[in-house]
Amino acid sequence: MSAESLPLQIFKVGTWTDNGGTTAAFSDAELTATAAAYDPAKHEAPLVVGHPTLEAPAYGWVQALTVIQDALEATPKQVDAAFADLVREGRFKKISSSFWRPDAPGNPVPGVY
């Protein structure tokens, strides 16, 4: 398994507050539903730095989501080599995930995060 394909823990079961101040609780069942619903053919999630605008470059893509011990893990693909080096060097220590709300108009799989 290449370093590029090693899973990254991106989210955990618990209560979280988004950038807009909205708080939501996420159960193991919701994370499992999110992982099952993820389909890169419908919307391929980008690996980005910060919370950029839609025009910001992606440094890789999420190939798949899985749930391991109350945590959501992303398997990356097509990761920019220079970006991977910066991550390995500890330049980006925190991961922040973004999800569509189940009822959001643009959600590619309505009903789940």
Side-chain angles (χ1 to χ4, degrees), residues 13-53:
V13 166
T15 301
W16 300 95
T17 304
D18 68 17
N19 285 348
T22 302
T23 299
F26 291 83
S27 67
D28 185 62
E30 285 168 315
L31 294 189
T32 299
T34 297
Y38 181 69
D39 181 354
K42 291 181 180 178
H43 175 77
E44 192 171 32
L47 301 176
V48 297
V49 175
H51 290 278
T53 63

